[in-house]
Amino acid sequence: MASFRRTLSPAYADRQYLNGSFSVSSPSHKLPSANAKYSSPLPALAAAFRRLVGGVFTRRHGRKGQWRRVAFRCFLCFFVGFLLGMSPFGHVAEDVRTHENSFEMKPPLPRASNAQQLLRKDRVLRNRVEEGFVIDPVSLSAEWVRQSERFDFAPRKPLIVVTPTYGRAFQAYFLNRLGQVLRLVPPPVVWIVVEMNAASMETAEVLRKTGVMYRHLVCNRNSTDVKDRGVHQRNTALEHIERHRLDGIVYFADDDNVYSLELFDALRDISRFGTWPVAMLAPSKNKAILEGPVCNASQVIGWHTNEKSKRLRRFHVDMSGFAFNSTILWDPKRWRHPSSNPIRQLDTVKEGFQETTFIEQLVEDESQMEGSPSGCSKILNWHVHLDVHNIVYPKGWVLQKNLDAIIPVK
């Protein structure tokens, strides 16, 4: 008859059974060796942990308890991973120690007064500007830039354009044309327009529409005693410049002349006195008369003239063919001007000599003049006589009857 031998269950591995002359016992009951007192307790703890895990994973469960076993294993793995993730490492502690050692406590500086702080900040900013550092006002960050790229801005000289005008048939056309030219000139530009006796509303309206900065002046001289209207109007503008100490280049631009933009660009290069040739179109002649300087580069060495009656003049220049620095009028010591009398145009001289008598008050000779442009080889403005006689000046420049016949629409 066959015999059956039951194997030992893992749950009862620690029991002892007598089998002849020897016994089977669990390894866990073995006595420690003589050197156990010198060994670490970690192996014993590891063995206990293995028995616990083995008992959990090898315990038999029914089908109804399988989900509990899976849930317990997942929870155990998550807990072990969480402990490993929270445990510190050696290099982290080293980094913390190095950062802790990098902190340094500095004693507080003595508090200075507000004035001393402002002086110190101003001195630092000046040193940075001299070295080429620029502080951005928005981001407050210092950056290195080239000196030529950052500090190459040169302010333009202001232009003071003086224009005498009076009521006539082409006045609106002349003022609008000159105003549109000045509108294209880069600022700063001040347009001084002078009228006789009273400032008309029509002229003021034209000046407002041009968009140019202007000053509308009035010459209060009695018109019956005026020999040359334009001379007194220009003197009114000169008095205004001298009284208010306007700093710029003064240019007499009559409203009936034609000007190029290049002329106004060249005016800003004038230091004391500049001159250039002017082409005059005479209505009684079929040719143009050139009047102005003959230049070698910017040095004036002669004069152009075609008028025999004007050859006695010292300087052969048209009224719109020169410009000068306004500081000569109110700061004569700067230019070593010998006379203390105010510089004005003279109405007692013969017609055609107002220009030369006025220039003689500004300069002594051609050595103090500057030819513009270099070589004086370009015509930058034209003196055109387009006056119309025997035409009634319309009030407000509005024509009530602009057509002789009116044809109604059928």
Side-chain angles (χ1 to χ4, degrees):
M1 182 174 181
S3 63
F4 295 91
R5 182 179 295 179
R6 181 179 295 178
T7 59
L8 294 177
S9 175
Y12 303 99
D14 55 347
R15 294 185 179 180
Q16 297 180 0
Y17 292 93
L18 295 177
N19 189 3
S21 63
F22 64 90
S23 64
V24 179
S25 63
S26 175
S28 60
H29 292 275
K30 292 181 179 179
L31 295 176
S33 61
N35 297 329
K37 61 180 180 178
Y38 299 105
S39 62
S40 176
L42 291 179
L45 294 177
F49 180 76
R50 283 198 300 269
R51 287 197 302 271
L52 176 62
V53 174
V56 172
F57 284 96
T58 58
R59 184 178 299 171
R60 294 183 179 181
H61 297 276
R63 293 182 179 180
K64 296 181 179 180
Q66 290 182 358
W67 64 273
R68 296 181 181 178
R69 182 180 57 183
V70 174
F72 183 76
R73 292 178 180 178
C74 293
F75 173 76
L76 184 61
C77 293
F78 172 78
F79 183 73
V80 174
F82 178 77
L83 293 179
L84 293 177
M86 293 298 294
S87 60
F89 294 94
H91 66 278
V92 177
E94 294 178 359
D95 293 341
V96 174
R97 286 195 297 271
T98 55
H99 285 291
E100 290 178 354
N101 295 332
S102 63
F103 289 103
E104 181 180 359
M105 299 299 294
K106 296 182 180 179
L109 297 176
R111 180 177 297 179
S113 62
N114 295 334
Q116 294 178 354
Q117 292 179 359
L118 293 176
L119 291 176
R120 190 181 297 108
K121 292 180 180 179
D122 183 54
R123 191 180 301 109
V124 172
L125 291 176
R126 289 182 180 179
N127 295 335
R128 290 183 177 180
V129 170
E130 293 178 358
E131 296 175 0
F133 287 98
V134 179
I135 296 180
D136 189 356
V138 178
S139 61
L140 299 180
S141 60
E143 57 179 350
W144 177 264
V145 295
R146 293 184 180 180
Q147 198 78 6
S148 59
E149 295 179 357
R150 184 64 179 87
F151 300 99
D152 58 351
F153 174 74
R156 301 189 187 96
K157 291 183 179 179
L159 299 182
I160 307 173
V161 182
V162 178
T163 302
T165 185
Y166 61 97
R168 60 193 189 278
F170 284 164
Q171 183 186 13
Y173 165 70
F174 290 150
L175 289 177
N176 276 286
R177 182 180 62 181
L178 180 56
Q180 295 303 319
V181 174
L182 295 178
R183 187 175 183 177
L184 301 176
V185 178
V189 178
V190 180
W191 190 16
I192 300 179
V193 180
V194 187
E195 285 191 291
M196 292 295 297
N197 301 327
S200 62
M201 298 297 296
E202 295 80 11
T203 303
E205 184 180 2
V206 172
L207 298 179
R208 285 194 300 267
K209 290 182 178 179
T210 56
V212 182
M213 184 171 58
Y214 70 92
R215 297 188 180 184
H216 196 181
L217 306 182
V218 177
C219 180
N220 296 321
R221 290 292 298 268
N222 190 357
S223 59
T224 58
D225 299 336
V226 172
K227 181 179 179 180
D228 191 340
R229 178 182 57 252
V231 171
H232 295 285
Q233 289 175 316
R234 297 185 189 96
N235 286 337
T236 300
L238 294 176
E239 293 174 2
H240 181 82
I241 296 171
E242 182 179 355
R243 181 170 61 254
H244 295 280
R245 292 179 175 268
L246 302 182
D247 191 1
I249 303 299
V250 181
Y251 177 52
F252 298 124
D254 294 341
D255 55 0
D256 57 347
N257 291 351
V258 180
Y259 306 93
S260 63
L261 290 176
E262 187 178 357
L263 171 63
F264 296 97
D265 293 337
L267 292 180
R268 290 193 164 98
D269 297 333
I270 296 175
S271 176
R272 175 171 182 168
F273 182 91
T275 181
W276 54 90
V278 179
M280 297 184 295
L281 303 179
S284 60
K285 299 179 181 180
N286 296 327
K287 61 179 181 180
I289 300 174
L290 188 64
E291 190 172 37
V294 178
C295 304
N296 181 13
S298 61
Q299 183 182 3
V300 178
I301 59 176
W303 301 95
H304 290 290
T305 182
N306 290 327
E307 296 289 338
K308 295 181 180 181
S309 61
K310 298 180 181 180
R311 289 183 180 179
L312 299 177
R313 294 184 300 175
R314 175 66 179 86
F315 303 111
H316 301 269
V317 184
D318 185 72
M319 187 63 69
S320 61
F322 68 92
F324 60 94
N325 198 313
S326 63
T327 56
I328 301 177
L329 301 176
W330 47 268
D331 191 9
K333 295 182 180 180
R334 174 182 176 182
W335 306 99
R336 300 179 181 178
H337 197 271
S339 177
S340 60
N341 297 328
I343 300 175
R344 300 291 185 270
Q345 291 189 3
L346 305 178
D347 62 341
T348 58
V349 298
K350 185 179 179 181
E351 183 181 0
F353 285 81
Q354 290 90 354
E355 296 88 348
T356 182
T357 54
F358 178 73
I359 294 174
E360 289 172 3
Q361 303 176 58
L362 301 175
V363 296
E364 298 178 358
D365 51 20
E366 287 81 358
S367 62
Q368 297 179 349
M369 296 183 177
E370 308 167 30
S372 180
S374 182
C376 302
S377 58
K378 289 184 179 181
I379 304 300
L380 302 180
N381 66 309
W382 296 262
H383 192 175
V384 185
H385 299 275
L386 294 178
D387 200 3
V388 179
H389 302 282
N390 301 325
I391 295 181
V392 179
Y393 173 68
K395 185 177 181 180
W397 294 322
V398 177
L399 299 177
Q400 299 296 334
K401 296 181 180 180
N402 55 353
L403 294 176
D404 295 336
I406 300 177
I407 304 175
V409 178
K410 295 181 180 180

